[in-house]
């Protein structure tokens, strides 16, 4: 069993059945033996992009995630402190939160963002 945290673009690719999501990553997400998490930071990022007209996604992602069998990961105070302490390799606050959560919770980040490796967090290349 693996414990996976989906980067925002990976969740979007999954829900849209986008071919950018590679077969290996897709199989890992689909594997019912794995625990798949979606961060509150992802919901926040998607909500902002949807409000700006940059993204067409359901307004209420909760039921969609439940239907997919994904777990939601709240942002704890500790996560916020850890994200703020990360070195500035990555400036995106949403990605910094995902990195902090993956480190704190022992999760593997499914992403296509190569900058995550600088933090020593375990990643799975979403494009493979």
């Amino acid at each position: 069993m693996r414990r996976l945290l989906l980067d925002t673009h990976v969740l979007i690719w999954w829900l849209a059945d986008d071919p950018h999501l590679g077969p290996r990553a897709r199989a890992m997400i689909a594997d019912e033996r794995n625990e798949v998490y979606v961060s509150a930071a992802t919901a926040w990022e998607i909500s902002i992009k949807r409000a700006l007209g940059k993204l067409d996604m359901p307004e209420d992602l909760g039921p969609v995630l439940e239907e997919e069998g994904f777990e939601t990961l709240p942002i704890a105070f500790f996560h916020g402190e850890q994200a703020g302490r990360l070195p500035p390799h990555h400036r995106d606050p949403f990605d910094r939160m995902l990195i902090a959560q993956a480190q704190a919770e022992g999760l593997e980040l499914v992403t296509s963002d190569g900058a995550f490796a600088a933090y020593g967090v375990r990643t799975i290349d979403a494009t493979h």
Side-chain angles (χ1 to χ4, degrees):
M1 176 193 70
R2 297 175 90 157
R3 301 176 70 231
L4 312 174
L5 177 59
L6 304 184
D7 197 347
T8 303
H9 65 275
V10 174
L11 175 63
I12 293 167
W13 290 351
W14 172 265
L15 294 176
D17 198 25
D18 191 302
H20 285 99
L21 185 59
R24 179 175 173 265
R26 187 177 301 278
M28 292 176 89
I29 295 167
D31 189 334
E32 293 180 4
R33 296 172 295 183
N34 293 332
E35 293 176 359
V36 180
Y37 292 87
V38 176
S39 172
T42 292
W44 181 17
E45 182 176 14
I46 287 172
S47 294
I48 289 171
K49 288 182 179 181
R50 187 179 53 243
L52 293 172
K54 293 182 176 184
L55 188 60
D56 183 27
M57 294 282 291
E59 282 201 30
D60 188 5
L61 275 178
V64 174
L65 298 180
E66 189 174 317
E67 187 176 302
E68 295 293 331
F70 298 163
E71 300 290 329
T72 56
L73 181 61
I75 298 172
F77 194 83
F78 177 76
H79 297 144
E81 288 180 322
Q82 292 303 106
R85 291 181 183 131
L86 290 171
H89 305 305
H90 206 304
R91 298 212 180 272
D92 184 305
F94 300 108
D95 288 339
R96 291 172 63 83
M97 178 55 69
L98 294 178
I99 292 162
Q101 288 183 302
Q103 289 174 339
E105 306 301 326
L107 303 172
E108 294 178 86
L109 254 165
V110 184
T111 185
S112 65
D113 190 335
F116 285 21
Y119 292 97
V121 68
R122 292 181 318 218
T123 61
I124 295 166
D125 187 339
T127 63
H128 289 102

